[in-house]
Amino acid sequence: YKDNTQDIDGAIKDYTYCITLEPRYTYAYLGRGDMYMAKGNVDAAKKDYQTVVAQDTLILEQGNCRQYAYQMLGQKDSAEAYMQRILDKYPTEGNYYDAACLMSRMGELQRSIEYLKVSFEKGYHEINHLDMEHIWYSVILYLKCSYLLRKAGDDNVVSCLFAIIKLSFSSNLIWICTN
């Protein structure tokens, strides 16, 4: 989890070690690709994402990551189509959570929220996992913005935007659940 602690170089080393031990574990390539991307090493990231696409070819009940690699390679349609194939075959709470993550990563915030809702309705309960996912920041901000804009009305947009900025520094998932 060094990638969640902003230890990018440490995360790259850990993912590389994991790949050395288990070269077919595609999530390690995906994670290392994300870390390379965070460092601005686009060529290395692209190579890892292409490895994921080449190796992650079977749709499993859990552990699919090809859709994320497609997304990072700029192949949005392929990412969405692959995610839909997963959901068609295995409509589990975990796969709906993955669909929510994918939509959030692609900036499809409303669709992300819809998938997340289905995931919770199906029994997803890994709340502490949500805290580790940086992708949820934009969804949380989107929800806050929608709520505050509805509450403030058109006449008070500037003060609403300042409230959103203030709330974004103290946000957490509980705010969404209670508002």
Side-chain angles (χ1 to χ4, degrees):
Y1 293 116
K2 288 184 180 177
D3 52 350
N4 291 314
T5 63
Q6 304 305 312
D7 181 2
I8 294 172
D9 291 326
I12 290 172
K13 287 178 187 174
D14 286 352
Y15 283 127
T16 300
Y17 183 67
C18 183
I19 290 166
T20 301
L21 295 175
E22 186 56 58
R24 303 257 331 139
Y25 184 57
T26 53
Y27 259 105
Y29 289 98
L30 180 71
R32 188 174 70 176
D34 288 346
M35 295 300 97
Y36 281 141
M37 191 63 81
K39 285 190 71 145
N41 190 343
V42 176
D43 291 337
K46 187 175 180 181
K47 182 178 177 189
D48 277 350
Y49 297 139
Q50 289 168 336
T51 299
V52 172
V53 169
Q55 289 186 6
D56 189 15
T57 58
L58 298 175
I59 294 178
L60 304 172
E61 189 167 358
Q62 61 184 10
N64 302 286
C65 63
R66 187 179 209 184
Q67 67 276 19
Y68 297 117
Y70 277 138
Q71 178 258 327
M72 293 304 292
L73 289 168
Q75 299 173 23
K76 180 181 176 181
D77 291 342
S78 295
E80 287 187 55
Y82 196 76
M83 188 71 246
Q84 190 57 55
R85 287 178 56 206
I86 294 167
L87 292 173
D88 289 345
K89 189 168 184 177
Y90 298 109
T92 65
E93 69 272 6
N95 286 332
Y96 273 93
Y97 177 80
D98 279 344
C101 291
L102 178 64
M103 292 300 120
S104 180
R105 286 174 69 137
M106 292 192 313
E108 298 281 345
L109 304 182
Q110 186 61 44
R111 291 177 65 201
S112 176
I113 293 165
E114 291 165 9
Y115 282 121
L116 187 61
K117 181 181 176 191
V118 172
S119 176
F120 287 149
E121 288 169 352
K122 287 182 164 284
Y124 188 80
H125 60 275
E126 300 291 331
I127 300 299
N128 57 344
H129 185 70
L130 292 170
D131 287 340
M132 296 186 312
E133 296 281 1
H134 301 294
I135 59 170
W136 295 119
Y137 297 151
S138 57
V139 172
I140 291 168
L141 192 57
Y142 172 82
L143 287 170
K144 287 179 182 181
C145 181
S146 297
Y147 170 79
L148 291 173
L149 285 173
R150 280 194 315 270
K151 188 174 179 177
D154 291 338
D155 297 337
N156 206 3
V157 172
V158 172
S159 63
C160 175
L161 292 174
F162 282 116
I164 292 166
I165 292 167
K166 182 179 175 186
L167 286 170
S168 68
F169 291 108
S170 62
S171 76
N172 58 44
L173 200 55
I174 294 168
W175 190 94
I176 295 171
C177 296
T178 59
N179 290 291

